[in-house]
Amino acid sequence: MLQTILERILATVGQLSVLSKNLLDRGLIYLDAALPSSSRHRKWVIVGVFSMPVLGAVVAIAGSVENPQMDTSNLPTVQEAIQLNVDSQGVFNVAPLVSEEKIHRGDTIVSLLQRMGVNTDGLTNFLMSDKVASNLVNLRAGRVITVQQDVEGNLVWLRYKSSQDNDAQRAILVERKNGQYSARFEDITYDRGVVARAGRIESSLFAAADKAGLPDAITIQLANIFSSEIDFHRELRHGDSFRVVYEDLSVDGRSVSSGRILAAEFVNDNHKYTAYWFDSKNQAAGYYDENGRSLKKSFLRSPLAFSRITSGFTTARFHPILKKWKAHTGVDYAAARGTPIMATANGTIKFIGQQRGYGNVIEIQHYGGYSTLYGHMNNFAKGMHRGTKITQGEVIGYVGSTGWATGPHVHYEFRVNEVPRNPLTISVAQSEPLNKTAMAEFKRTQASLERKLDTVTGTQVAKAE
């Protein structure tokens, strides 16, 4: 039944559609017959016909305006004062923008500020005429410029940290007031913090230190501290580990430098070595192990921080230049040309100059009949002369290949009463141990530093309180 109803509805719609079409066709025929024969007149008649509905609407609107239904001319007007009080709301009081930008190689102060969107009008002339501001001409890549600018992009002030030392750094402050620039120096004091980090050796000490986020300066300190106990050239093993607590120096909450290692632990071939910095009125400052014994030995194990041994101490070695068998009375450490060479102990320069196959050489006389020799130097450090007093770890020259050498390295000899001895196997005495009074103070310092070391394990990185 429902289907029958739907069919009838569709049929009716179809019939109405046909009827509408027929009526429209007949209307157009009658209209065409009634229109003038002139095409111009026919056009204006058509426009007039189709404009009639629009004109009717306009007339209706006009009639409604001229004949309003309600007269509102005598109604009272309501007015209300609205107090915006913009200044007190601070709508337009935008705080000046403070930002930092890292200096790139080749940057000038003007190009850097323009990159930051700061207006630099008149700054170039000021830099050329002001004695303090002229120091901004030479910017060091990697450092940071701090800038404050107003909402219009005009400079309020800029600060450039131009120098640094262990405790404070000097900065140049440039200010702009009423369109005029001024500059002055100011001292900024470091904020000191303590950081603890740990790592595990997989390929090299530096690779492990980088992975742990340890600064290079701290890595070098770590190697120097344990240099009398561990030969970092030959004795590192895969799986060796370290933990370090060191000073972190920051300015405005940003780390800018690292200070001294305060405590360190190094596990080498399953043997643990520890070091704690201890500075007391009753004892010389330095690093001591868990038993209060000084880690500073009379002689360092090597004159180079990092290198590799190419020739060891032997009574018979085939000489690569002389082409014959000859005793090699020292150890050769290969390193890049220009690598600093350190004195392995305190002493006095006995000889400096050229000496046959050794090329540029320095010989240092130490206490008790000990002496050391450093050969094939590229050049000597400044201030090195015969009779100069030398301290352990002081740079005396730089790696080269002068004399009979096939490549850059340092030839290092250790002598006892002028007789060469193997520097890798000879045993030398340690420095004086702590006395009883200093030992009690050291134990308290050690316990505090040990707690900081315990904040990191394995390769975890943590911030120590």
Side-chain angles (χ1 to χ4, degrees):
M1 179 177 180
L2 179 61
Q3 181 177 358
T4 304
I5 294 173
L6 291 175
E7 290 176 352
R8 290 179 178 179
I9 291 173
L10 292 175
T12 302
V13 170
Q15 292 175 359
L16 291 174
S17 176
V18 172
L19 179 61
S20 299
K21 182 178 185 303
N22 292 335
L23 291 174
L24 179 62
D25 292 341
R26 290 181 180 180
L28 291 175
I29 293 173
Y30 291 142
L31 180 62
D32 182 68
L35 288 175
S37 59
S38 170
S39 60
R40 178 181 178 185
H41 293 161
R42 290 166 65 92
K43 178 179 69 175
W44 285 111
V45 170
I46 293 172
V47 171
V49 170
F50 285 100
S51 299
M52 290 177 66
V54 178
L55 292 173
V58 172
V59 171
I61 294 173
S64 66
V65 173
E66 293 177 358
N67 301 289
Q69 296 179 0
M70 182 176 66
D71 186 3
T72 60
S73 60
N74 296 323
L75 292 178
T77 303
V78 178
Q79 295 181 347
E80 180 181 0
I82 300 176
Q83 182 63 41
L84 294 178
N85 205 7
V86 172
D87 291 337
S88 65
Q89 297 297 325
V91 175
F92 299 105
N93 294 340
V94 180
L97 174 66
V98 177
S99 57
E100 289 187 343
E101 181 77 8
K102 190 173 183 180
I103 300 170
H104 301 158
R105 188 176 300 277
D107 270 347
T108 66
I109 187 63
V110 173
S111 66
L112 186 147
L113 290 176
Q114 289 175 347
R115 187 165 72 236
M116 299 175 72
V118 180
N119 181 10
T120 59
D121 291 346
L123 182 60
T124 302
N125 293 335
F126 175 72
L127 294 175
M128 297 175 62
S129 61
D130 188 87
K131 185 176 181 180
V132 176
S134 62
N135 290 278
L136 293 171
V137 173
N138 298 315
L139 300 179
R140 291 193 178 184
R143 292 191 179 178
V144 174
I145 287 280
T146 306
V147 174
Q148 185 182 65
Q149 56 182 305
D150 61 23
V151 293
E152 296 179 349
N154 296 315
L155 180 70
V156 178
W157 56 259
L158 71 82
R159 179 178 287 112
Y160 171 61
K161 301 174 181 68
S162 57
S163 64
Q164 60 185 40
D165 55 35
N166 291 333
D167 297 305
Q169 61 178 218
R170 202 180 193 190
I172 299 173
L173 180 67
V174 175
E175 296 177 293
R176 185 176 183 270
K177 294 181 180 179
N178 300 321
Q180 299 296 318
Y181 293 100
S182 63
R184 59 185 171 86
F185 288 112
E186 64 175 7
D187 292 327
I188 301 176
T189 302
Y190 281 117
D191 293 322
R192 287 181 175 271
V194 178
V195 175
R197 300 191 186 277
R200 187 176 301 276
I201 307 296
E202 295 179 356
S203 57
S204 69
L205 175 60
F206 267 104
D210 286 343
K211 188 175 181 179
L214 207 64
D216 287 348
I218 297 299
T219 307
I220 294 172
Q221 283 189 51
L222 181 66
N224 288 337
I225 289 170
F226 294 113
S227 62
S228 60
E229 303 290 341
I230 304 170
D231 187 342
F232 286 91
H233 308 297
R234 303 185 306 162
E235 297 177 355
L236 284 185
R237 300 289 185 269
H238 179 84
D240 286 356
S241 62
F242 60 84
R243 296 190 295 168
V244 184
V245 173
Y246 64 94
E247 295 174 317
D248 178 67
L249 309 179
S250 62
V251 174
D252 299 331
R254 181 174 53 84
S255 179
V256 295
S257 182
S258 53
R260 176 186 290 115
I261 287 180
L262 301 177
E265 174 190 280
F266 205 105
V267 179
N268 172 237
D269 198 16
N270 295 320
H271 186 87
K272 184 173 73 172
Y273 300 92
T274 56
Y276 306 91
W277 174 257
F278 181 60
D279 188 0
S280 171
K281 296 178 181 179
N282 302 316
Q283 196 77 27
Y287 291 99
Y288 296 82
D289 65 14
E290 68 275 10
N291 298 314
R293 291 193 296 264
S294 175
L295 295 180
K296 184 178 181 180
K297 289 189 174 181
S298 300
F299 288 85
L300 300 177
R301 295 285 293 271
S302 168
L304 301 179
F306 295 95
S307 68
R308 60 187 178 87
I309 295 176
T310 53
S311 294
F313 185 94
T314 179
T315 56
R317 182 194 70 156
F318 187 77
H319 198 284
I321 293 180
L322 298 179
K323 304 299 182 182
K324 65 178 182 179
W325 292 93
K326 190 176 184 296
H328 189 249
T329 57
V331 176
D332 290 347
Y333 292 93
R337 191 181 308 276
T339 300
I341 300 171
M342 302 177 294
T344 57
N346 297 341
T348 304
I349 293 182
K350 179 181 178 181
F351 177 85
I352 179 170
Q354 290 192 341
Q355 195 177 95
R356 296 186 300 174
Y358 289 126
N360 293 331
V361 64
I362 286 181
E363 186 177 0
I364 300 176
Q365 185 66 52
H366 309 285
Y367 76 98
Y370 296 109
S371 64
T372 54
L373 180 142
Y374 313 78
H376 305 305
M377 291 185 179
N378 188 58
N379 54 329
F380 307 118
K382 291 182 179 180
M384 296 295 110
H385 307 284
R386 187 175 184 273
T388 300
K389 299 292 184 181
I390 301 298
T391 59
Q392 187 181 68
E394 182 178 353
V395 175
I396 58 175
Y398 304 91
V399 170
S401 56
T402 57
W404 298 341
T406 56
H409 71 282
V410 58
H411 174 82
Y412 174 63
E413 289 191 11
F414 187 93
R415 299 170 178 175
V416 180
N417 296 323
E418 299 299 326
V419 178
R421 302 285 295 275
N422 189 345
L424 300 179
T425 59
I426 192 169
S427 178
V428 292
Q430 289 182 311
S431 301
E432 182 182 0
L434 292 172
N435 57 42
K436 292 183 179 180
T437 303
M439 179 62 78
E441 185 182 352
F442 169 74
K443 285 299 182 181
R444 291 192 294 270
T445 301
Q446 177 194 1
S448 175
L449 293 173
E450 190 69 33
R451 287 193 294 270
K452 290 179 172 61
L453 276 176
D454 288 340
T455 61
V456 287
T457 56
T459 57
Q460 178 188 0
V461 177
K463 193 89 170 184
E465 298 297 334

